[in-house]
Amino acid sequence: MVRPLVLQAVKEAITSAQHAGELPSFMPLPEIHIEHPRQPEHGDYATNIALQLARTARMSPQHIAATIARHITSADLQAEAVNGFINFRLSPAFLAAQVEHILQQGERWGEINLGNGRKAQVEFGSANPTGYATLGTGRNVVVGDVLANTLAASGYQVHREWYVNDAGSQIRVFGESVFARYAQALGLDEPMPERGYHGDDVAEIGRIIAEREGERFLHLPRAEAIRAIAEIGVALVMDQIKRTMQRLGVHYDNYFSEKSLWASGLGDQMLARLQQKGLILQHDGALWFSEDGSPIRSSQSDAEETPTTDEAGKRLPVQAVVMRSSQVAPLPEERPTYFASDIAYAYHKVILRGFNPAIYVWGEDHQASVERLYAVARALELPEGSIKVVIYRFITLMRGGVEVRMGKRKGNALLIDDVLDEIGTDAFRYIMLARSVDTKFTFDIALLQEQNEKNPVYYIQYSHARICSLEARAVAEGWEQDRTASLHYTHPAELALIRKLLELPEVVELVANTLQPHHYPTYARDVAYLFSKFYEECRIKGASPSTVFARLQLARATRLTLAKVLKLMGLSAPEKM
RNA sequence: GCGCCCAUAGCUCAACUGGAUAGAGCACUUGACUUCGGAUCAAGGGGUUGUGGGUUCGAGUCCUGCUGGGCGCGCCA
């Protein structure tokens, strides 16, 4: 990576200036930021360190910048002090050497080492197994998958997991819904349950069970039949979800059952541990987790919303139910709350399996759970920073210019499979990635086909295919007469392209640190654009032997870069289109 | 009522986490190949970054008031 080299040069220059008595000693030296200036005439990298030091040094920023710039000795970096900034320009020789470096790295180009081989997990998808995977889950899955790719490219050993919420009353309601559809498929007039799941997917599952299993569940006691059918239904839903994930190009290492946390006894074990710490309290017949053991503030069902902050706006300790009372939940298996399972699950991830970080990808409807999860992490004394939650904003679905409120129970949710039928995996993934997770975006199904043809993903893939074709042609027609010439680049389009290529590891680092994958599409488009410009302005065929070689090498380095960023996004890098 | 998030070009979004003249795509206007893939390239119009204050050398970015929107605050899942 280039950035650390610049950083090192700045540090050395400051030290050198201090030895020369031209700068005072700064105790402590503030963090030095090396950034890419927006304006190309400001160079390849820049730092504002002089502006930051001006106050403590009691010198003008201009003077400090000039002093530091004077002490930059690296031959690769040309330093210039302007307006208190220090701008750096990479020498053409250095840029040429970097092209060779990229080619040497090959498929590993762009990878960095933040993890040192540590185990990391990304848990994503994890939609309730009460229906097929929907559009909202699509955003979750693609974001999670790309974060996993990024950690894998950052020196982590990455584990991908889907959490199957196969416990609780929702499964009973789902079972009742499937049972009704099953009975209807067999010609009976069975009504759907209150708050049932009305989607076509649930109806399909009812039909499948009717076909495979016949009438045998009609002869069982109702509760028993529903339990059995719920189990079969969940399995069928998960089968379909797995097929959808395969279409999306996502490979999970594990599907983790919520129920297993209680079957293994880990759930109760964790509650006992927290109880010993005095953090589990009984209240109105239910068991509560109280972050600091303070009395339960409220549980009155007719009360206003329970405040989460006090009058001064300070966050109140987290309190939440872990075990429902027998009055509310007569069935023992429906007593543990989601939150109770989350406690055991977090422990299982971080302590039993050693994932650090364990990253959760959650929709914005789970934002209230984030503070709770962090409180649990503290209570269980999980290592600081081992739990990280990414919250993404919902997708607004438009049908014919009208907003549609999607709901699994209502049965009007748009399925991933249906969208994939329309536009394919690459376009779908690109759409899901191109926006910051903090932005809610609208998905207009009427404009889908029309907009799909203009999807920037094709522009990026086209560049890749074009380079492949270019290389093949160069070989076939014997363009390269001299493969030993030293690389030399002078054309602005060449230099601009090389500079952009060199940013790849920085982009990987940025995504790894911010957990925001939308930087890849932006970057990939920039690379493709600069390549097109280079391609237009710098002819290869017919140039001098050393130029042909240098430009083909640059094209190859571009292909490696595009292939890598496409791979990070989980997109195909076609050789022909 | 309280909390989290969002508001940037006609539309969809960026802006490397406080830097220098806020950038792309789409749409619109105009131009460019008898040579490497036209799914391309070049040029142009389009902005008081919702709004009022504040912090500082410097704010789309941080704090704060307001406006509009999304989500949440349950012994739902």
Side-chain angles (χ1 to χ4, degrees):
Chain A
M1 260 208 281
V2 181
R3 198 193 295 257
L5 302 177
V6 180
L7 179 62
Q8 191 56 31
V10 172
K11 281 182 179 163
E12 285 171 8
I14 292 175
T15 309
S16 158
Q18 288 170 332
H19 284 315
E22 297 172 30
L23 285 179
S25 62
F26 303 102
M27 296 283 294
L29 196 63
E31 199 185 338
I32 301 173
H33 295 280
I34 308 292
E35 61 198 11
H36 291 282
R38 271 209 275 252
Q39 272 70 40
E41 61 269 27
H42 290 143
D44 300 320
Y45 292 87
T47 181
N48 60 355
I49 187 66
L51 289 155
Q52 294 188 334
L53 294 176
R55 176 160 296 193
T56 46
R58 300 165 148 271
M59 291 176 172
S60 79
Q62 288 78 4
H63 179 72
I64 297 174
T67 306
I68 295 174
R70 204 164 353 101
H71 283 268
I72 298 281
T73 52
S74 165
D76 301 328
L77 284 177
Q78 179 198 332
E80 187 188 10
V82 181
N83 277 338
F85 292 89
I86 307 166
N87 299 331
F88 299 95
R89 195 169 287 278
L90 299 169
S91 72
F94 179 81
L95 290 173
Q98 289 299 307
V99 173
E100 305 224 28
H101 172 72
I102 292 172
L103 295 170
Q104 275 164 19
Q105 297 273 299
E107 288 179 10
R108 296 189 56 88
W109 159 239
E111 295 182 10
I112 56 177
N113 185 14
L114 300 174
N116 267 318
R118 273 189 296 158
K119 288 168 72 178
Q121 186 197 56
V122 185
E123 180 230 310
F124 59 102
S126 304
N128 290 342
T130 53
Y132 299 161
T134 62
L135 187 64
T137 303
R139 186 173 202 185
N140 188 317
V141 167
V142 174
V143 166
D145 189 44
V146 174
L147 291 179
N149 290 344
T150 302
L151 292 181
S154 306
Y156 287 93
Q157 204 183 316
V158 178
H159 184 90
R160 285 159 222 254
E161 185 157 280
W162 179 296
Y163 183 52
V164 185
N165 297 114
D166 53 2
S169 61
Q170 53 155 355
I171 292 299
R172 180 172 40 78
V173 176
F174 169 71
E176 288 163 3
S177 304
V178 177
F179 181 84
R181 296 303 194 194
Y182 159 80
Q184 288 166 9
L186 292 171
L188 273 68
D189 188 20
E190 179 76 22
M192 286 291 280
E194 193 93 3
R195 300 193 69 224
Y197 293 90
H198 291 268
D200 294 340
D201 45 358
V202 171
E204 180 175 276
I205 284 169
R207 279 198 303 277
I208 292 173
I209 295 177
E211 277 166 30
R212 287 190 194 166
E213 309 278 341
E215 297 188 351
R216 70 185 185 90
F217 291 114
L218 297 178
H219 309 307
L220 293 175
R222 177 61 67 98
E224 197 180 318
I226 285 173
R227 197 166 304 169
I229 274 190
E231 198 162 317
I232 298 173
V234 166
L236 288 172
V237 164
M238 288 312 299
D239 283 347
Q240 182 61 37
I241 286 176
K242 286 172 190 176
R243 280 192 290 272
T244 306
M245 291 307 114
Q246 203 156 12
R247 282 185 82 183
L248 274 177
V250 179
H251 304 286
Y252 279 93
D253 296 302
N254 190 33
Y255 289 81
F256 191 97
S257 157
E258 179 185 7
K259 226 159 51 174
S260 74
L261 290 168
W262 298 98
S264 69
L266 184 67
D268 293 312
Q269 213 178 305
M270 287 301 109
L271 294 186
R273 172 178 300 214
L274 293 176
Q275 187 140 33
Q276 274 180 353
K277 293 182 153 201
L279 305 182
I280 300 289
L281 305 175
Q282 197 143 23
H283 185 78
D284 284 352
L287 287 183
W288 288 67
F289 168 77
S290 174
E291 185 179 359
D292 58 352
S294 58
I296 304 308
R297 293 191 293 276
S298 165
S299 71
Q300 303 304 313
S301 52
D302 57 346
E304 296 284 304
E305 280 89 3
T306 309
T308 52
T309 54
D310 64 14
E311 295 82 0
K314 223 180 102 187
R315 190 179 67 81
L316 291 165
V318 166
Q319 296 184 334
V321 173
V322 288
M323 282 287 175
R324 300 185 185 94
S325 65
S326 53
Q327 288 90 355
V328 173
L331 299 173
E333 68 263 30
E334 293 186 7
R335 278 183 208 146
T337 59
Y338 261 26
F339 176 59
S341 298
D342 281 344
I343 296 172
Y345 191 30
Y347 185 84
H348 197 279
K349 287 180 179 200
V350 177
I351 302 299
L352 297 187
R353 290 189 284 171
F355 295 124
N356 186 359
I359 295 175
Y360 294 69
V361 183
W362 282 350
E364 63 177 323
D365 55 336
H366 286 77
Q367 51 166 274
S369 307
V370 177
E371 268 311 317
R372 291 180 183 177
L373 188 61
Y374 288 148
V376 163
R378 288 189 293 270
L380 293 175
E381 295 169 42
L382 304 184
E384 181 86 27
S386 56
I387 299 270
K388 288 185 178 166
V389 183
V390 176
I391 295 285
Y392 63 92
R393 262 50 231 185
F394 283 153
I395 297 169
T396 308
L397 180 65
M398 305 285 281
R399 260 186 240 259
V402 185
E403 188 177 332
V404 182
R405 310 286 290 194
M406 289 188 284
K408 263 195 203 173
R409 289 182 193 269
K410 278 193 279 183
N412 66 347
L414 183 61
L415 299 182
I416 294 176
D417 286 319
D418 294 335
V419 182
L420 291 182
D421 289 343
E422 287 282 317
I423 64 173
T425 298
D426 284 345
F428 182 82
R429 289 187 65 120
Y430 190 91
I431 291 170
M432 291 297 157
L433 284 175
R435 295 146 176 92
S436 150
V437 292
D438 280 332
T439 307
K440 100 184 162 80
F441 73 90
T442 50
F443 198 87
D444 194 324
I445 202 163
L447 298 177
L448 205 53
Q449 266 307 345
E450 186 191 330
Q451 287 178 348
N452 185 42
E453 289 160 21
K454 294 158 190 159
N455 194 317
V457 73
Y458 302 121
Y459 178 79
I460 297 160
Q461 292 178 323
Y462 174 73
S463 293
H464 183 269
R466 203 187 214 182
I467 298 171
C468 291
S469 151
L470 179 67
E471 288 181 47
R473 191 141 181 197
V475 170
E477 297 178 6
W479 293 357
E480 278 178 298
Q481 302 294 320
D482 180 2
R483 291 164 185 250
T484 55
S486 62
L487 301 182
H488 195 59
Y489 301 98
T490 50
H491 195 286
E494 293 173 326
L495 298 174
L497 177 57
I498 298 170
R499 290 186 180 105
K500 184 55 76 174
L501 298 185
L502 293 181
E503 287 178 27
L504 178 61
E506 297 169 11
V507 176
V508 173
E509 187 178 34
L510 180 67
V511 174
N513 286 334
T514 60
L515 303 180
Q516 291 254 23
H518 73 272
H519 293 107
Y520 290 135
T522 308
Y523 175 70
R525 223 212 154 274
D526 286 349
V527 172
Y529 167 71
L530 287 172
F531 174 75
S532 295
K533 208 173 158 77
F534 157 75
Y535 182 85
E536 290 285 327
E537 296 184 20
C538 303
R539 306 302 290 185
I540 298 171
K541 190 180 177 182
S544 75
S546 62
T547 303
V548 167
F549 179 63
R551 288 183 175 169
L552 278 174
Q553 290 291 72
L554 178 51
R556 289 186 188 103
T558 306
R559 172 171 51 75
L560 285 172
T561 305
L562 283 173
K564 189 65 173 192
V565 70
L566 284 167
K567 192 172 182 189
L568 284 163
M569 292 190 283
L571 304 175
S572 63
E575 297 183 9
K576 284 195 176 109
M577 288 178 75

